[in-house]
PDB file of all heavy atoms in Angstrom:
ATOM      1  N   THR A 169      42.591  82.529 127.080  1.00 90.00           N
ATOM      2  CA  THR A 169      41.473  83.407 126.803  1.00 90.00           C
ATOM      3  C   THR A 169      41.732  84.760 127.575  1.00 90.00           C
ATOM      4  O   THR A 169      42.262  84.734 128.656  1.00 90.00           O
ATOM      5  CB  THR A 169      40.219  82.848 127.387  1.00 90.00           C
ATOM      6  OG1 THR A 169      39.907  81.659 126.693  1.00 90.00           O
ATOM      7  CG2 THR A 169      38.995  83.889 127.150  1.00 90.00           C
ATOM      8  N   VAL A 170      41.718  85.717 126.779  1.00 92.00           N
ATOM      9  CA  VAL A 170      41.855  87.115 127.272  1.00 92.00           C
ATOM     10  C   VAL A 170      40.618  87.952 127.192  1.00 92.00           C
ATOM     11  O   VAL A 170      40.024  88.080 126.214  1.00 92.00           O
ATOM     12  CB  VAL A 170      43.022  87.892 126.354  1.00 92.00           C
ATOM     13  CG1 VAL A 170      43.314  89.275 127.016  1.00 92.00           C
ATOM     14  CG2 VAL A 170      44.210  87.148 126.372  1.00 92.00           C
ATOM     15  N   TRP A 171      40.245  88.315 128.428  1.00 94.00           N
ATOM     16  CA  TRP A 171      39.054  89.192 128.447  1.00 94.00           C
ATOM     17  C   TRP A 171      39.447  90.729 128.477  1.00 94.00           C
ATOM     18  O   TRP A 171      40.418  91.100 129.193  1.00 94.00           O
ATOM     19  CB  TRP A 171      38.302  89.047 129.797  1.00 94.00           C
ATOM     20  CG  TRP A 171      37.506  87.623 129.791  1.00 94.00           C
ATOM     21  CD1 TRP A 171      37.956  86.541 130.200  1.00 94.00           C
ATOM     22  CD2 TRP A 171      36.207  87.570 129.265  1.00 94.00           C
ATOM     23  NE1 TRP A 171      37.021  85.487 130.035  1.00 94.00           N
ATOM     24  CE2 TRP A 171      35.929  86.116 129.490  1.00 94.00           C
ATOM     25  CE3 TRP A 171      35.176  88.323 128.717  1.00 94.00           C
ATOM     26  CZ2 TRP A 171      34.674  85.634 129.062  1.00 94.00           C
ATOM     27  CZ3 TRP A 171      34.023  87.772 128.371  1.00 94.00           C
ATOM     28  CH2 TRP A 171      33.805  86.417 128.548  1.00 94.00           C
ATOM     29  N   VAL A 172      38.793  91.615 127.576  1.00 94.00           N
ATOM     30  CA  VAL A 172      39.135  92.990 127.451  1.00 94.00           C
ATOM     31  C   VAL A 172      37.904  93.801 127.565  1.00 94.00           C
ATOM     32  O   VAL A 172      36.810  93.414 127.223  1.00 94.00           O
ATOM     33  CB  VAL A 172      39.899  93.225 126.117  1.00 94.00           C
ATOM     34  CG1 VAL A 172      41.093  92.373 126.005  1.00 94.00           C
ATOM     35  CG2 VAL A 172      39.027  92.948 124.961  1.00 94.00           C
ATOM     36  N   SER A 173      38.161  95.014 128.027  1.00 94.00           N
ATOM     37  CA  SER A 173      37.113  96.101 127.884  1.00 94.00           C
ATOM     38  C   SER A 173      37.623  97.061 126.896  1.00 94.00           C
ATOM     39  O   SER A 173      38.653  97.661 127.102  1.00 94.00           O
ATOM     40  CB  SER A 173      36.931  96.664 129.258  1.00 94.00           C
ATOM     41  OG  SER A 173      35.922  97.830 129.226  1.00 94.00           O
ATOM     42  N   GLN A 174      36.878  97.273 125.797  1.00 94.00           N
ATOM     43  CA  GLN A 174      37.272  97.949 124.720  1.00 94.00           C
ATOM     44  C   GLN A 174      36.609  99.329 124.472  1.00 94.00           C
ATOM     45  O   GLN A 174      35.399  99.295 124.719  1.00 94.00           O
ATOM     46  CB  GLN A 174      37.259  97.202 123.402  1.00 94.00           C
ATOM     47  CG  GLN A 174      37.933  97.763 122.205  1.00 94.00           C
ATOM     48  CD  GLN A 174      38.112  96.718 121.122  1.00 94.00           C
ATOM     49  OE1 GLN A 174      37.695  95.538 121.259  1.00 94.00           O
ATOM     50  NE2 GLN A 174      38.678  97.160 120.009  1.00 94.00           N
ATOM     51  N   CYS A 175      37.234 100.453 124.171  1.00 95.00           N
ATOM     52  CA  CYS A 175      36.667 101.649 123.743  1.00 95.00           C
ATOM     53  C   CYS A 175      37.182 101.977 122.454  1.00 95.00           C
ATOM     54  O   CYS A 175      38.366 101.652 122.046  1.00 95.00           O
ATOM     55  CB  CYS A 175      37.023 102.742 124.824  1.00 95.00           C
ATOM     56  SG  CYS A 175      36.483 102.400 126.432  1.00 95.00           S
ATOM     57  N   ALA A 176      36.399 102.800 121.655  1.00 95.00           N
ATOM     58  CA  ALA A 176      36.934 103.277 120.319  1.00 95.00           C
ATOM     59  C   ALA A 176      36.227 104.571 120.073  1.00 95.00           C
ATOM     60  O   ALA A 176      35.220 104.885 120.457  1.00 95.00           O
ATOM     61  CB  ALA A 176      36.532 102.207 119.230  1.00 95.00           C
ATOM     62  N   SER A 177      36.922 105.465 119.293  1.00 95.00           N
ATOM     63  CA  SER A 177      36.395 106.809 118.955  1.00 95.00           C
ATOM     64  C   SER A 177      36.895 107.146 117.574  1.00 95.00           C
ATOM     65  O   SER A 177      38.115 106.817 117.225  1.00 95.00           O
ATOM     66  CB  SER A 177      36.897 107.734 119.876  1.00 95.00           C
ATOM     67  OG  SER A 177      36.398 109.047 119.588  1.00 95.00           O
ATOM     68  N   PRO A 178      36.144 107.895 116.751  1.00 95.00           N
ATOM     69  CA  PRO A 178      36.693 108.449 115.459  1.00 95.00           C
ATOM     70  C   PRO A 178      37.751 109.490 115.663  1.00 95.00           C
ATOM     71  O   PRO A 178      37.591 110.271 116.733  1.00 95.00           O
ATOM     72  CB  PRO A 178      35.480 108.874 114.729  1.00 95.00           C
ATOM     73  CG  PRO A 178      34.492 109.140 115.828  1.00 95.00           C
ATOM     74  CD  PRO A 178      34.813 108.232 116.910  1.00 95.00           C
ATOM     75  N   ILE A 179      38.644 109.615 114.685  1.00 94.00           N
ATOM     76  CA  ILE A 179      39.626 110.750 114.641  1.00 94.00           C
ATOM     77  C   ILE A 179      39.182 111.750 113.605  1.00 94.00           C
ATOM     78  O   ILE A 179      38.921 111.368 112.487  1.00 94.00           O
ATOM     79  CB  ILE A 179      41.014 110.265 114.366  1.00 94.00           C
ATOM     80  CG1 ILE A 179      41.515 109.262 115.414  1.00 94.00           C
ATOM     81  CG2 ILE A 179      42.054 111.423 114.327  1.00 94.00           C
ATOM     82  CD1 ILE A 179      42.819 108.534 115.004  1.00 94.00           C
ATOM     83  N   ARG A 180      38.944 112.984 113.997  1.00 94.00           N
ATOM     84  CA  ARG A 180      38.249 113.890 113.079  1.00 94.00           C
ATOM     85  C   ARG A 180      39.269 115.137 112.825  1.00 94.00           C
ATOM     86  O   ARG A 180      40.096 115.373 113.706  1.00 94.00           O
ATOM     87  CB  ARG A 180      37.000 114.426 113.567  1.00 94.00           C
ATOM     88  CG  ARG A 180      35.956 113.393 113.792  1.00 94.00           C
ATOM     89  CD  ARG A 180      34.595 113.962 114.424  1.00 94.00           C
ATOM     90  NE  ARG A 180      33.576 112.976 114.759  1.00 94.00           N
ATOM     91  CZ  ARG A 180      32.616 112.570 113.873  1.00 94.00           C
ATOM     92  NH1 ARG A 180      32.633 113.031 112.657  1.00 94.00           N
ATOM     93  NH2 ARG A 180      31.728 111.650 114.290  1.00 94.00           N
ATOM     94  N   THR A 181      39.120 115.757 111.768  1.00 92.00           N
ATOM     95  CA  THR A 181      39.852 116.995 111.458  1.00 92.00           C
ATOM     96  C   THR A 181      39.080 118.131 112.126  1.00 92.00           C
ATOM     97  O   THR A 181      38.010 117.872 112.685  1.00 92.00           O
ATOM     98  CB  THR A 181      39.881 117.294 109.859  1.00 92.00           C
ATOM     99  OG1 THR A 181      38.501 117.478 109.464  1.00 92.00           O
ATOM    100  CG2 THR A 181      40.437 116.062 109.238  1.00 92.00           C
ATOM    101  N   ALA A 182      39.679 119.300 112.022  1.00 90.00           N
ATOM    102  CA  ALA A 182      38.981 120.471 112.664  1.00 90.00           C
ATOM    103  C   ALA A 182      37.607 120.843 112.075  1.00 90.00           C
ATOM    104  O   ALA A 182      36.706 121.306 112.820  1.00 90.00           O
ATOM    105  CB  ALA A 182      39.939 121.668 112.483  1.00 90.00           C
ATOM    106  N   GLU A 183      37.412 120.276 110.791  1.00 92.00           N
ATOM    107  CA  GLU A 183      36.139 120.456 110.121  1.00 92.00           C
ATOM    108  C   GLU A 183      35.144 119.337 110.370  1.00 92.00           C
ATOM    109  O   GLU A 183      34.061 119.415 109.954  1.00 92.00           O
ATOM    110  CB  GLU A 183      36.410 120.573 108.629  1.00 92.00           C
ATOM    111  CG  GLU A 183      37.175 121.863 108.098  1.00 92.00           C
ATOM    112  CD  GLU A 183      38.651 121.684 108.368  1.00 92.00           C
ATOM    113  OE1 GLU A 183      39.109 120.602 108.494  1.00 92.00           O
ATOM    114  OE2 GLU A 183      39.315 122.712 108.486  1.00 92.00           O
ATOM    115  N   GLY A 184      35.659 118.294 111.171  1.00 93.00           N
ATOM    116  CA  GLY A 184      34.787 117.326 111.550  1.00 93.00           C
ATOM    117  C   GLY A 184      34.771 116.092 110.591  1.00 93.00           C
ATOM    118  O   GLY A 184      34.053 115.071 110.853  1.00 93.00           O
ATOM    119  N   LYS A 185      35.749 116.106 109.725  1.00 94.00           N
ATOM    120  CA  LYS A 185      35.824 114.980 108.736  1.00 94.00           C
ATOM    121  C   LYS A 185      36.528 113.779 109.418  1.00 94.00           C
ATOM    122  O   LYS A 185      37.550 114.023 110.067  1.00 94.00           O
ATOM    123  CB  LYS A 185      36.457 115.314 107.456  1.00 94.00           C
ATOM    124  CG  LYS A 185      36.748 114.232 106.524  1.00 94.00           C
ATOM    125  CD  LYS A 185      37.470 114.758 105.246  1.00 94.00           C
ATOM    126  CE  LYS A 185      37.679 113.662 104.242  1.00 94.00           C
ATOM    127  NZ  LYS A 185      38.399 114.102 103.067  1.00 94.00           N
ATOM    128  N   ILE A 186      36.061 112.570 109.352  1.00 95.00           N
ATOM    129  CA  ILE A 186      36.629 111.325 109.965  1.00 95.00           C
ATOM    130  C   ILE A 186      37.795 110.986 109.058  1.00 95.00           C
ATOM    131  O   ILE A 186      37.716 110.766 107.754  1.00 95.00           O
ATOM    132  CB  ILE A 186      35.667 110.261 110.039  1.00 95.00           C
ATOM    133  CG1 ILE A 186      34.472 110.615 110.976  1.00 95.00           C
ATOM    134  CG2 ILE A 186      36.370 108.964 110.464  1.00 95.00           C
ATOM    135  CD1 ILE A 186      33.445 109.618 111.127  1.00 95.00           C
ATOM    136  N   ILE A 187      39.008 110.874 109.684  1.00 94.00           N
ATOM    137  CA  ILE A 187      40.187 110.473 108.873  1.00 94.00           C
ATOM    138  C   ILE A 187      40.804 109.133 109.447  1.00 94.00           C
ATOM    139  O   ILE A 187      41.859 108.614 109.021  1.00 94.00           O
ATOM    140  CB  ILE A 187      41.353 111.597 108.872  1.00 94.00           C
ATOM    141  CG1 ILE A 187      41.574 111.907 110.303  1.00 94.00           C
ATOM    142  CG2 ILE A 187      40.813 112.721 108.163  1.00 94.00           C
ATOM    143  CD1 ILE A 187      42.830 112.897 110.390  1.00 94.00           C
ATOM    144  N   GLY A 188      40.149 108.584 110.468  1.00 95.00           N
ATOM    145  CA  GLY A 188      40.659 107.309 111.092  1.00 95.00           C
ATOM    146  C   GLY A 188      39.932 107.087 112.415  1.00 95.00           C
ATOM    147  O   GLY A 188      38.903 107.647 112.711  1.00 95.00           O
ATOM    148  N   ALA A 189      40.519 106.117 113.229  1.00 95.00           N
ATOM    149  CA  ALA A 189      39.840 105.843 114.539  1.00 95.00           C
ATOM    150  C   ALA A 189      40.981 105.226 115.479  1.00 95.00           C
ATOM    151  O   ALA A 189      42.019 104.755 114.965  1.00 95.00           O
ATOM    152  CB  ALA A 189      38.799 104.879 114.385  1.00 95.00           C
ATOM    153  N   VAL A 190      40.764 105.402 116.726  1.00 94.00           N
ATOM    154  CA  VAL A 190      41.573 104.926 117.723  1.00 94.00           C
ATOM    155  C   VAL A 190      40.827 103.962 118.648  1.00 94.00           C
ATOM    156  O   VAL A 190      39.678 104.304 118.879  1.00 94.00           O
ATOM    157  CB  VAL A 190      42.278 106.039 118.484  1.00 94.00           C
ATOM    158  CG1 VAL A 190      41.220 106.915 119.167  1.00 94.00           C
ATOM    159  CG2 VAL A 190      43.311 105.544 119.425  1.00 94.00           C
ATOM    160  N   SER A 191      41.371 102.823 118.938  1.00 94.00           N
ATOM    161  CA  SER A 191      40.809 101.891 119.840  1.00 94.00           C
ATOM    162  C   SER A 191      41.658 101.638 121.111  1.00 94.00           C
ATOM    163  O   SER A 191      42.961 101.580 120.913  1.00 94.00           O
ATOM    164  CB  SER A 191      40.382 100.614 119.179  1.00 94.00           C
ATOM    165  OG  SER A 191      41.521  99.967 118.662  1.00 94.00           O
ATOM    166  N   VAL A 192      41.206 101.537 122.187  1.00 94.00           N
ATOM    167  CA  VAL A 192      41.910 101.300 123.527  1.00 94.00           C
ATOM    168  C   VAL A 192      41.204 100.111 124.220  1.00 94.00           C
ATOM    169  O   VAL A 192      40.075 100.164 124.422  1.00 94.00           O
ATOM    170  CB  VAL A 192      41.976 102.542 124.344  1.00 94.00           C
ATOM    171  CG1 VAL A 192      42.758 102.245 125.703  1.00 94.00           C
ATOM    172  CG2 VAL A 192      42.578 103.777 123.691  1.00 94.00           C
ATOM    173  N   PHE A 193      42.081  99.094 124.531  1.00 90.00           N
ATOM    174  CA  PHE A 193      41.430  98.110 125.254  1.00 90.00           C
ATOM    175  C   PHE A 193      42.310  97.722 126.595  1.00 90.00           C
ATOM    176  O   PHE A 193      43.525  97.737 126.532  1.00 90.00           O
ATOM    177  CB  PHE A 193      41.192  96.777 124.381  1.00 90.00           C
ATOM    178  CG  PHE A 193      42.477  96.427 123.687  1.00 90.00           C
ATOM    179  CD1 PHE A 193      43.385  95.437 124.204  1.00 90.00           C
ATOM    180  CD2 PHE A 193      42.723  96.913 122.291  1.00 90.00           C
ATOM    181  CE1 PHE A 193      44.448  95.135 123.485  1.00 90.00           C
ATOM    182  CE2 PHE A 193      43.900  96.510 121.609  1.00 90.00           C
ATOM    183  CZ  PHE A 193      44.712  95.641 122.167  1.00 90.00           C
ATOM    184  N   THR A 194      41.515  97.402 127.656  1.00 93.00           N
ATOM    185  CA  THR A 194      42.077  97.071 128.935  1.00 93.00           C
ATOM    186  C   THR A 194      42.040  95.590 129.209  1.00 93.00           C
ATOM    187  O   THR A 194      40.945  95.066 128.995  1.00 93.00           O
ATOM    188  CB  THR A 194      41.420  97.857 130.015  1.00 93.00           C
ATOM    189  OG1 THR A 194      41.469  99.191 129.685  1.00 93.00           O
ATOM    190  CG2 THR A 194      42.134  97.564 131.311  1.00 93.00           C
ATOM    191  N   ASP A 195      43.134  94.948 129.581  1.00 93.00           N
ATOM    192  CA  ASP A 195      43.006  93.477 129.954  1.00 93.00           C
ATOM    193  C   ASP A 195      42.383  93.333 131.373  1.00 93.00           C
ATOM    194  O   ASP A 195      42.904  93.847 132.401  1.00 93.00           O
ATOM    195  CB  ASP A 195      44.444  93.020 129.978  1.00 93.00           C
ATOM    196  CG  ASP A 195      44.504  91.465 130.174  1.00 93.00           C
ATOM    197  OD1 ASP A 195      43.468  90.932 130.527  1.00 93.00           O
ATOM    198  OD2 ASP A 195      45.648  90.843 130.093  1.00 93.00           O
ATOM    199  N   ILE A 196      41.134  92.822 131.308  1.00 93.00           N
ATOM    200  CA  ILE A 196      40.333  92.725 132.641  1.00 93.00           C
ATOM    201  C   ILE A 196      40.306  91.195 132.956  1.00 93.00           C
ATOM    202  O   ILE A 196      39.338  90.700 133.644  1.00 93.00           O
ATOM    203  CB  ILE A 196      38.942  93.288 132.468  1.00 93.00           C
ATOM    204  CG1 ILE A 196      38.244  92.723 131.350  1.00 93.00           C
ATOM    205  CG2 ILE A 196      39.152  94.856 132.227  1.00 93.00           C
ATOM    206  CD1 ILE A 196      36.676  93.040 131.358  1.00 93.00           C
ATOM    207  N   THR A 197      41.188  90.302 132.397  1.00 91.00           N
ATOM    208  CA  THR A 197      41.079  88.906 132.569  1.00 91.00           C
ATOM    209  C   THR A 197      41.019  88.504 134.052  1.00 91.00           C
ATOM    210  O   THR A 197      40.112  87.759 134.466  1.00 91.00           O
ATOM    211  CB  THR A 197      42.212  88.194 131.961  1.00 91.00           C
ATOM    212  OG1 THR A 197      42.329  88.515 130.500  1.00 91.00           O
ATOM    213  CG2 THR A 197      42.060  86.662 131.953  1.00 91.00           C
ATOM    214  N   VAL A 198      41.986  88.989 134.890  1.00 89.00           N
ATOM    215  CA  VAL A 198      42.027  88.646 136.256  1.00 89.00           C
ATOM    216  C   VAL A 198      40.757  89.065 136.910  1.00 89.00           C
ATOM    217  O   VAL A 198      40.060  88.378 137.733  1.00 89.00           O
ATOM    218  CB  VAL A 198      43.209  89.264 136.886  1.00 89.00           C
ATOM    219  CG1 VAL A 198      43.136  89.000 138.390  1.00 89.00           C
ATOM    220  CG2 VAL A 198      44.558  88.694 136.343  1.00 89.00           C
ATOM    221  N   THR A 199      40.318  90.378 136.701  1.00 88.00           N
ATOM    222  CA  THR A 199      39.137  90.883 137.280  1.00 88.00           C
ATOM    223  C   THR A 199      37.861  90.058 136.920  1.00 88.00           C
ATOM    224  O   THR A 199      37.040  89.780 137.811  1.00 88.00           O
ATOM    225  CB  THR A 199      38.919  92.360 137.018  1.00 88.00           C
ATOM    226  OG1 THR A 199      40.145  93.118 137.316  1.00 88.00           O
ATOM    227  CG2 THR A 199      37.681  92.969 137.656  1.00 88.00           C
ATOM    228  N   TYR A 200      37.785  89.753 135.698  1.00 88.00           N
ATOM    229  CA  TYR A 200      36.691  89.144 135.093  1.00 88.00           C
ATOM    230  C   TYR A 200      36.608  87.615 135.772  1.00 88.00           C
ATOM    231  O   TYR A 200      35.485  87.195 136.320  1.00 88.00           O
ATOM    232  CB  TYR A 200      36.553  88.998 133.627  1.00 88.00           C
ATOM    233  CG  TYR A 200      35.348  88.384 133.001  1.00 88.00           C
ATOM    234  CD1 TYR A 200      34.265  89.250 132.725  1.00 88.00           C
ATOM    235  CD2 TYR A 200      35.245  87.013 132.783  1.00 88.00           C
ATOM    236  CE1 TYR A 200      33.100  88.760 132.139  1.00 88.00           C
ATOM    237  CE2 TYR A 200      33.998  86.544 132.306  1.00 88.00           C
ATOM    238  CZ  TYR A 200      33.041  87.416 131.920  1.00 88.00           C
ATOM    239  OH  TYR A 200      31.875  86.839 131.450  1.00 88.00           O
ATOM    240  N   GLU A 201      37.689  86.886 135.715  1.00 84.00           N
ATOM    241  CA  GLU A 201      37.641  85.562 136.295  1.00 84.00           C
ATOM    242  C   GLU A 201      37.431  85.688 137.785  1.00 84.00           C
ATOM    243  O   GLU A 201      36.766  84.663 138.290  1.00 84.00           O
ATOM    244  CB  GLU A 201      39.012  84.916 135.875  1.00 84.00           C
ATOM    245  CG  GLU A 201      39.194  84.613 134.489  1.00 84.00           C
ATOM    246  CD  GLU A 201      40.492  83.873 134.193  1.00 84.00           C
ATOM    247  OE1 GLU A 201      41.444  83.879 135.074  1.00 84.00           O
ATOM    248  OE2 GLU A 201      40.622  83.402 133.093  1.00 84.00           O
ATOM    249  N   LEU A 202      37.923  86.613 138.529  1.00 82.00           N
ATOM    250  CA  LEU A 202      37.639  86.647 139.944  1.00 82.00           C
ATOM    251  C   LEU A 202      36.275  86.940 140.235  1.00 82.00           C
ATOM    252  O   LEU A 202      35.644  86.309 141.165  1.00 82.00           O
ATOM    253  CB  LEU A 202      38.510  87.820 140.528  1.00 82.00           C
ATOM    254  CG  LEU A 202      38.597  87.895 142.073  1.00 82.00           C
ATOM    255  CD1 LEU A 202      39.011  86.535 142.667  1.00 82.00           C
ATOM    256  CD2 LEU A 202      39.329  89.115 142.550  1.00 82.00           C
ATOM    257  N   ARG A 203      35.610  87.666 139.353  1.00 84.00           N
ATOM    258  CA  ARG A 203      34.089  87.987 139.580  1.00 84.00           C
ATOM    259  C   ARG A 203      33.380  86.631 139.300  1.00 84.00           C
ATOM    260  O   ARG A 203      32.326  86.394 140.086  1.00 84.00           O
ATOM    261  CB  ARG A 203      33.675  89.157 138.601  1.00 84.00           C
ATOM    262  CG  ARG A 203      32.229  89.568 138.857  1.00 84.00           C
ATOM    263  CD  ARG A 203      31.797  90.650 137.869  1.00 84.00           C
ATOM    264  NE  ARG A 203      31.560  89.986 136.600  1.00 84.00           N
ATOM    265  CZ  ARG A 203      31.184  90.718 135.493  1.00 84.00           C
ATOM    266  NH1 ARG A 203      31.058  92.027 135.688  1.00 84.00           N
ATOM    267  NH2 ARG A 203      31.079  90.197 134.422  1.00 84.00           N
ATOM    268  N   GLN A 204      33.720  85.910 138.260  1.00 80.00           N
ATOM    269  CA  GLN A 204      33.116  84.722 138.016  1.00 80.00           C
ATOM    270  C   GLN A 204      33.306  83.622 139.067  1.00 80.00           C
ATOM    271  O   GLN A 204      32.390  82.950 139.462  1.00 80.00           O
ATOM    272  CB  GLN A 204      33.594  84.151 136.704  1.00 80.00           C
ATOM    273  CG  GLN A 204      33.256  84.932 135.347  1.00 80.00           C
ATOM    274  CD  GLN A 204      31.768  85.003 135.257  1.00 80.00           C
ATOM    275  OE1 GLN A 204      31.080  86.028 135.398  1.00 80.00           O
ATOM    276  NE2 GLN A 204      31.093  83.941 134.917  1.00 80.00           N
ATOM    277  N   HIS A 205      34.518  83.635 139.668  1.00 75.00           N
ATOM    278  CA  HIS A 205      34.831  82.699 140.788  1.00 75.00           C
ATOM    279  C   HIS A 205      33.960  83.222 141.943  1.00 75.00           C
ATOM    280  O   HIS A 205      33.391  82.226 142.726  1.00 75.00           O
ATOM    281  CB  HIS A 205      36.323  82.849 141.114  1.00 75.00           C
ATOM    282  CG  HIS A 205      37.169  82.299 140.170  1.00 75.00           C
ATOM    283  ND1 HIS A 205      36.819  81.062 139.438  1.00 75.00           N
ATOM    284  CD2 HIS A 205      38.403  82.540 139.817  1.00 75.00           C
ATOM    285  CE1 HIS A 205      37.741  80.644 138.637  1.00 75.00           C
ATOM    286  NE2 HIS A 205      38.790  81.603 138.869  1.00 75.00           N
ATOM    287  N   LEU A 206      33.752  84.451 142.169  1.00 77.00           N
ATOM    288  CA  LEU A 206      33.005  84.858 143.291  1.00 77.00           C
ATOM    289  C   LEU A 206      31.575  84.421 143.139  1.00 77.00           C
ATOM    290  O   LEU A 206      30.862  83.930 144.164  1.00 77.00           O
ATOM    291  CB  LEU A 206      33.037  86.383 143.521  1.00 77.00           C
ATOM    292  CG  LEU A 206      32.404  87.116 144.727  1.00 77.00           C
ATOM    293  CD1 LEU A 206      32.808  86.430 145.947  1.00 77.00           C
ATOM    294  CD2 LEU A 206      32.553  88.527 144.713  1.00 77.00           C
TER     295      LEU A 206
END
Side-chain angles (χ1 to χ4, degrees):
T169 297
V170 180
W171 286 92
V172 300
S173 176
Q174 190 166 359
C175 302
S177 178
I179 301 173
R180 301 178 184 270
T181 64
E183 293 76 24
K185 179 182 178 181
I186 296 176
I187 58 172
V190 59
S191 61
V192 179
F193 51 91
T194 304
D195 186 349
I196 60 169
T197 304
V198 174
T199 303
Y200 187 88
E201 291 180 349
L202 188 59
R203 188 182 70 180
Q204 292 298 111
H205 288 324
L206 182 60

